[in-house]
Amino acid sequence: MYDEMMAEAIAEARKAESCGEVPVGAVVEKDGAVIGRGHNLTETLKDPTAHAEITAIRNAAKELGGWRLSGCRLYVTCEPCAMCAGAMVLARIEKAVIGAPDPKSGACGSVLNVTQEGRLNHRVEIETGIMRGECESMLKGFFKKRRKNYTEEVNI
């Protein structure tokens, strides 16, 4: 089931990429069904909180009719930042399944470990590396293209 749900998150990431956003996608699953989905929309909405995880969590809470997402899993293509990791803790997400690590700003073990902070009232189980190659490839390709476009603009 992990691959199937991560494939759903990857489809969301492709939606983000198609509109010029960093290709990160997320889905929230409960009892084998997707109850929330989202992809990055920070540039589109001019909103620093419009991350894939936040959107997926909001949609799942709306679907369930409450903010507690106990028994839910979040599948995300890239390791969440501190804001998103904090939202996972506050929403009581049971487990996060992460495709690619984020060595620069990941907050689920790479730079920080918000999801396992003992002083908080909830911990989120973390599993990484599910479909990692595909998730990393999508992100690396996006940033490589962005750098190329920037270099061409500067050299004009």
Side-chain angles (χ1 to χ4, degrees), residues 31-104:
D31 300 326
V34 174
I35 61 166
R37 53 180 69 240
H39 55 276
N40 274 357
L41 287 170
T42 54
E43 297 295 335
T44 303
L45 299 178
K46 310 296 185 227
D47 179 354
T49 69
H51 288 197
E53 303 93 323
I54 298 295
T55 302
I57 288 169
R58 285 178 179 153
N59 289 334
K62 183 182 273 188
E63 177 69 22
L64 292 180
W67 62 270
R68 286 182 185 86
L69 302 182
S70 303
C72 293
R73 291 186 196 92
L74 175 76
Y75 295 78
V76 61
T77 57
C78 183
E79 182 179 355
C81 68
M83 173 183 70
C84 295
M88 290 162 40
V89 170
L90 292 172
R92 313 298 198 269
I93 294 284
E94 179 181 297
K95 182 174 186 170
V97 180
I98 300 166
D102 184 348
K104 293 185 178 182

Side-chain angles (χ1 to χ4, degrees), residues 95-146:
K95 182 174 186 170
V97 180
I98 300 166
D102 184 348
K104 293 185 178 182
S105 62
C108 297
S110 290
V111 176
L112 301 171
N113 201 345
V114 173
T115 57
Q116 296 299 307
E117 173 54 57
R119 293 171 288 186
L120 297 176
N121 64 341
H122 179 75
R123 273 101 6 283
V124 179
E125 183 183 344
I126 301 295
E127 184 164 342
T128 59
I130 305 302
M131 299 178 76
R132 179 178 178 164
E134 190 170 350
C135 294
E136 281 182 333
S137 175
M138 191 171 22
L139 286 162
K140 286 178 182 178
F142 174 83
F143 286 112
K144 183 177 182 180
K145 183 177 175 184
R146 181 182 268 185

